[in-house]
Amino acid sequence: MTHTKLFSPLQVGALELRNRIVIAPMCQYTADDGKMTDWHLMHLGMLSQSGAALLTIEATAVSPEGRISFGDVGLYSDETEAAMARTLEGIRRYSDMPIAIQLSHAGRKASSQVPWKGGGQIAPTENRGWQTVGASDVPFHSNYDAPIPLNKSDLALLRDHFASAARRAARLGLAALQVHAAHGYLLHQFLSPLSNTRTDEYGGSLQNRMRFPLEIFDVVRDAFPNDRPVTFRVSATDWVDGGWDLESTLAFATALESRGCSAIHVSSGGLAHNQHIPIGPSYQVPFAREVKATVKIPVIAVGLITEFEQAEAIIGTGDADCIAIARAILYDPRWPWHAAAHFGETVTAADQYLRCQPRQHRHLFKVHE
């Protein structure tokens, strides 16, 4: 019996989560030509011992040109699938935490340098750079190369790429799949009028701009097993006048729900370099609250959620069904342990860690039978 909402179980589709703490996808920029490396085994393995309910693999490109950077993970070939399988095998040997994956295409924000080397775009003529594509030929920044607009045959190929990656994810036994339509990447580029200036059926009206992202949801949902959830991550606003906004997000969320989406992860921003974000604790939670009031499927809140009481308040007041943590769990990989100790709750821990249970928290770890 839990004492808090944060540590109560939640059903997402057919997947039961032990608590309401989800580890958000966090790019590591350390793949080798799309293939996971020992870093991913170490990094994800560490997080799989955190006591959270779900671990989400970083934004994973569905094609080589869809990578944000040359160091991004991909799931578009037998080699990338085999590397991910090796990583998952190592994690699952010692953890039963469900693992999800986020599928993505960076669009005009691809071909970027890794963040610790500046993160700017690498020109297609430079080493480790390539030509980007997008909904339209509008570059992310004036000093970036313009992306090549995707034509109808390109869109058909991209649908195939997403479906193929979803089938690979299913073969890998991943428990859930999230489609990335936030933070200014390709599907967000189709949604926002700032980056989508098309005049065909994929541009112009809100319904037209939503068309391709919804098509991607349909092919992914069809390619991934029915008993495993497919979720969407959205940016609720571009934080720029005339851009994608909350009203559009609510319409999009409603359309996703009608198609069988299992949950919506609400973030914001990332599309426009001139965005003005009033960053502070829980700054994106009001968007999650509005989406939750509009749809009946679970809603995940994210964004500067760092404190235990803060997280409990978000769930307890009904603003969201789950909280996602990213930077906070990089800083404190045992954040869920410490939250459980704070509230007098119980978490699952590996047998190898049971003897570290503090004397003042005698019921922190579940006893294995």
Side-chain angles (χ1 to χ4, degrees), residues 2-332:
T2 63
H3 308 289
T4 61
K5 288 288 189 180
L6 187 62
F7 284 91
S8 63
L10 176 69
Q11 196 78 23
V12 180
L15 178 64
E16 183 167 327
L17 303 181
R18 292 170 177 160
N19 55 56
R20 309 299 184 94
I21 304 168
V22 172
I23 300 174
M26 293 173 280
C27 288
Q28 297 299 295
Y29 307 100
T30 315
D32 178 11
D33 196 20
K35 298 185 291 292
M36 281 187 165
T37 64
D38 287 346
W39 174 264
H40 298 92
L41 177 59
M42 180 176 70
H43 165 69
L44 295 171
M46 171 187 66
L47 295 180
S48 76
Q49 300 296 336
S50 67
L54 183 70
L55 170 59
T56 312
I57 293 171
E58 66 187 81
T60 301
V62 299
S63 63
E65 67 278 3
R67 294 173 296 163
I68 303 166
S69 78
F70 56 82
D72 278 32
V73 169
L75 191 55
Y76 46 71
S77 66
D78 292 345
E79 292 75 20
T80 57
E81 183 179 343
M84 189 172 290
R86 172 184 174 272
T87 300
L88 292 170
E89 180 184 7
I91 296 168
R92 289 168 174 155
R93 188 172 295 131
Y94 299 106
S95 172
D96 65 354
M97 183 182 291
I99 303 174
I101 190 169
Q102 184 189 68
L103 296 184
S104 182
H105 190 295
R108 68 179 188 172
K109 292 181 76 175
S111 187
S112 295
Q113 182 57 272
V114 296
W116 52 88
K117 292 187 177 180
Q121 188 181 67
I122 301 174
T125 55
E126 296 179 16
N127 183 39
R128 289 182 157 178
W130 61 88
Q131 176 61 56
T132 62
V133 297
S136 303
D137 62 355
V138 183
F140 174 67
H141 198 283
S142 59
N143 62 359
Y144 279 30
D145 278 17
I148 295 176
L150 294 158
N151 60 34
K152 299 291 181 61
S153 61
D154 295 329
L155 297 183
L157 185 60
L158 264 173
R159 288 191 291 269
D160 289 344
H161 287 330
F162 270 93
S164 175
R167 287 190 289 270
R168 291 182 186 277
R171 285 200 296 269
L172 290 166
L174 290 162
L177 189 154
Q178 183 181 98
V179 178
H180 200 358
H183 301 169
Y185 299 122
L186 182 64
L187 299 186
H188 187 180
Q189 292 162 30
F190 271 88
L191 292 170
S192 176
L194 299 178
S195 49
N196 184 345
T197 59
R198 301 173 74 101
T199 57
D200 63 2
E201 66 268 37
Y202 292 100
S205 69
L206 174 60
Q207 293 301 317
N208 281 359
R209 286 182 279 113
M210 293 194 309
R211 191 183 307 277
F212 185 63
L214 291 174
E215 288 176 354
I216 293 299
F217 173 80
D218 289 342
V219 298
V220 167
R221 178 65 282 180
D222 186 59
F224 202 59
N226 289 333
D227 62 343
R228 302 186 219 173
V230 172
T231 72
F232 243 70
R233 191 176 204 182
V234 300
S235 277
T237 176
D238 288 339
W239 297 106
V240 175
D241 289 342
W244 181 255
D245 56 18
L246 178 59
E247 183 180 358
S248 301
T249 296
L250 299 180
F252 187 49
T254 301
L256 286 168
E257 181 181 35
S258 72
R259 282 170 153 79
C261 185
S262 300
I264 297 176
H265 185 143
V266 183
S267 189
S268 73
L271 182 114
H273 70 90
N274 59 333
Q275 63 188 10
H276 295 287
I277 304 178
I279 293 179
S282 299
Y283 73 103
Q284 295 174 150
V285 172
F287 301 130
R289 181 190 308 134
E290 292 295 328
V291 174
K292 183 166 168 55
T294 302
V295 299
K296 294 182 173 60
I297 56 177
V299 172
I300 303 164
V302 67
L304 283 183
I305 301 170
T306 60
E307 304 301 321
F308 309 141
E309 296 286 356
Q310 174 195 15
E312 170 63 13
I314 291 167
I315 308 302
T317 58
D319 285 345
D321 299 286
C322 284
I323 59 104
I325 51 178
R327 290 174 176 85
I329 205 164
L330 290 183
Y331 183 72
D332 178 6

Side-chain angles (χ1 to χ4, degrees), residues 339-360:
H342 175 80
F343 289 117
E345 295 284 7
T346 300
V347 291
T348 300
D351 292 338
Q352 294 88 337
Y353 291 153
L354 294 180
R355 60 183 175 169
C356 80
Q357 180 171 264
R359 294 182 65 183
Q360 68 270 33

